[in-house]
Amino acid sequence: MPHLSPLLTYSKGSIYTQQPYIGYTNPSSNTFGATVTIEGWGKRSAREAYAKAEANRQLAEMVNESRSVETQAIFNYIDALRTKLLWQSYQGAIEQLNSIKTGDATRFKDEFISAQKVLNNDLKFFSYGLLNYLGETDKALPLPVGNLNIAPKKFNVSELVVHALEKRPDVSTNRASIESASANLELVQANRNIDFMPGVYYTETPPYTSSGIGYGSQKSFSFILTVPLGNGFVDNSDVLVASNTVTEHEINLSSTKTKILTEINQTYLQYESAQERLKNANLAFKQAISQKNGGISSILRYREAEGDLIEARAIHAKTLILLERLGGNFEVPSLN
């Protein structure tokens, strides 16, 4: 909206504390006035452009924050699911050991039950985290489902970087911040333009008599133009501050691009290691399956191989999801 800043004035008088001379009668005139502000050139359009840029910046920040929360929630879910699967792995081994009536079987079974108690507390811890993301405190603790068996993928690091520079919300936030800061700079510069304050005044004097002479009522109009100069001609500190803010956000964008290149390359190296660990865990688990019914030692090897596979799947899933999200792909993964 235009900033008209209307100003209404009323003046009564002149009223003298004593008669100027004998026979004088105070006319007691009334003056009504109205003044508005006509903003300097470009102020209103610059203000509107800044408002739109600022709204876009806040929207970009909201999207960036929501993506961060999504990633945290997914990782919390994976941790909860990993804990549940490990508990089930111990439970399967306990049930197998129940059929063996020896001292060693009882000792290992007690160790597994003790490990389950720790996992049970961990599962409650992560489930409370899931409940926090749901925002519903009156519900029972959620129990994750799935097996974390996500197939490995192949990536091209260069393509990930290019896609990230186009789709990452932190890049969009930096760009929106630059646009907002640039719009603010234009607004600051436009606000230095001179305003005009035209005004109209109407004066009404009633009939009066002075020194025996009668005067009729008088009505008159006046026009006034006020031009506030301000300090814009000598003080440009506000322009310097706004200009420095633009430069600051441009540097932040450059830093973000460098961070993206570093994050993707580092995470890709971690993902290669996670793939190799998953491959070895799968081979060990297949070998343990073939020897599953060979007594206590085979039960222990199977439980250990299954636990290693669950851990490897969890690490692989986390690293894969992180790499995709760093590359600008924010689809919610399936963990089944």
Side-chain angles (χ1 to χ4, degrees):
M1 297 293 293
H3 291 174
L4 297 176
S5 301
L7 178 64
L8 301 179
T9 60
Y10 169 72
S11 177
K12 178 73 174 178
S14 303
I15 301 176
Y16 295 99
T17 58
Q18 62 184 14
Q19 286 185 325
Y21 55 88
I22 297 175
Y24 177 81
T25 301
N26 186 358
S28 301
S29 62
N30 297 291
T31 301
F32 304 90
T35 303
V36 296
T37 299
I38 299 178
E39 292 183 273
W41 177 258
K43 284 188 176 182
R44 181 181 176 188
S45 58
R47 187 167 63 249
E48 181 180 4
Y50 173 67
K52 291 180 179 179
E54 185 66 7
N56 290 334
R57 182 191 65 80
Q58 294 186 16
L59 177 61
E61 287 185 350
M62 182 192 70
V63 173
N64 187 35
E65 181 66 20
S66 67
R67 294 306 187 193
S68 176
V69 172
E70 282 179 4
T71 303
Q72 294 172 16
I74 292 171
F75 285 178
N76 195 133
Y77 192 92
I78 291 175
D79 287 333
L81 183 54
R82 174 189 63 85
T83 307
K84 173 190 170 184
L85 294 175
L86 287 173
W87 189 95
Q88 292 175 338
S89 175
Y90 279 111
Q91 183 63 27
I94 291 172
E95 292 174 356
Q96 287 183 303
L97 290 172
N98 282 334
S99 61
I100 302 176
K101 306 299 182 182
T102 64
D104 287 340
T106 301
R107 179 169 58 85
F108 286 120
K109 184 174 67 173
D110 291 340
E111 290 180 2
F112 290 169
I113 291 175
S114 177
Q116 275 188 321
K117 292 180 180 179
V118 176
L119 289 170
N120 188 55
N121 286 336
D122 291 343
L123 181 56
K124 286 182 179 180
F125 176 85
F126 291 123
S127 294
Y128 274 115
L130 295 177
L131 193 65
N132 178 59
Y133 286 111
L134 290 173
E136 299 173 346
T137 58
D138 57 340
K139 287 192 173 183
L141 290 179
L143 191 65
V145 295
N147 53 29
L148 293 176
N149 190 15
I150 303 178
K153 293 183 179 181
K154 293 184 178 181
F155 293 98
N156 183 299
V157 174
S158 298
E159 292 178 357
L160 284 174
V161 172
V162 172
H163 192 262
L165 293 176
E166 295 178 355
K167 301 296 183 181
R168 281 267 293 260
D170 50 351
V171 175
S172 299
T173 299
N174 284 134
R175 288 173 177 164
S177 296
I178 293 174
E179 293 176 0
S180 177
S182 299
N184 180 62
L185 174 59
E186 293 180 4
L187 176 60
V188 170
Q189 292 173 330
N191 282 337
R192 296 162 64 86
N193 295 335
I194 296 174
D195 294 337
F196 296 91
M197 300 174 61
V200 177
Y201 292 86
Y202 168 72
T203 301
E204 182 181 79
T205 303
Y208 67 97
T209 301
S210 180
S211 301
I213 301 174
Y215 295 89
S217 61
Q218 301 292 323
K219 298 178 181 179
S220 63
F221 289 91
S222 302
F223 176 79
I224 186 173
L225 178 63
T226 304
V227 182
L229 297 179
N231 297 324
F233 296 105
V234 295
D235 182 10
N236 64 344
S237 60
D238 53 349
V239 176
L240 291 177
V241 170
S243 179
N244 289 340
T245 302
V246 175
T247 303
E248 178 183 352
H249 288 301
E250 289 174 344
I251 294 174
N252 289 341
L253 176 59
S254 178
S255 299
T256 299
K257 291 180 178 180
T258 302
K259 184 184 72 172
I260 286 174
L261 181 63
T262 303
E263 285 178 340
I264 290 178
N265 278 278
Q266 288 179 335
T267 306
Y268 181 74
L269 294 176
Q270 292 177 329
Y271 182 63
E272 286 185 322
S273 299
Q275 279 184 309
E276 187 66 21
R277 178 174 177 176
L278 179 63
K279 177 183 176 182
N280 294 334
N282 275 316
L283 292 175
F285 182 68
K286 290 179 180 178
Q287 185 178 3
I289 289 179
S290 63
Q291 304 172 356
K292 186 176 180 181
N293 298 319
I296 294 179
S297 59
S298 63
I299 294 174
L300 297 179
R301 283 196 299 270
Y302 178 83
R303 216 296 318 153
E304 184 177 0
E306 186 178 39
D308 290 342
L309 179 60
I310 292 171
E311 296 284 4
R313 284 179 174 178
I315 293 174
H316 173 263
K318 275 189 172 183
T319 312
L320 172 60
I321 292 169
L322 178 60
L323 183 59
E324 288 194 325
R325 289 187 160 249
L326 289 176
N329 179 13
F330 295 96
E331 293 183 5
V332 178
S334 173
L335 300 178
N336 296 320

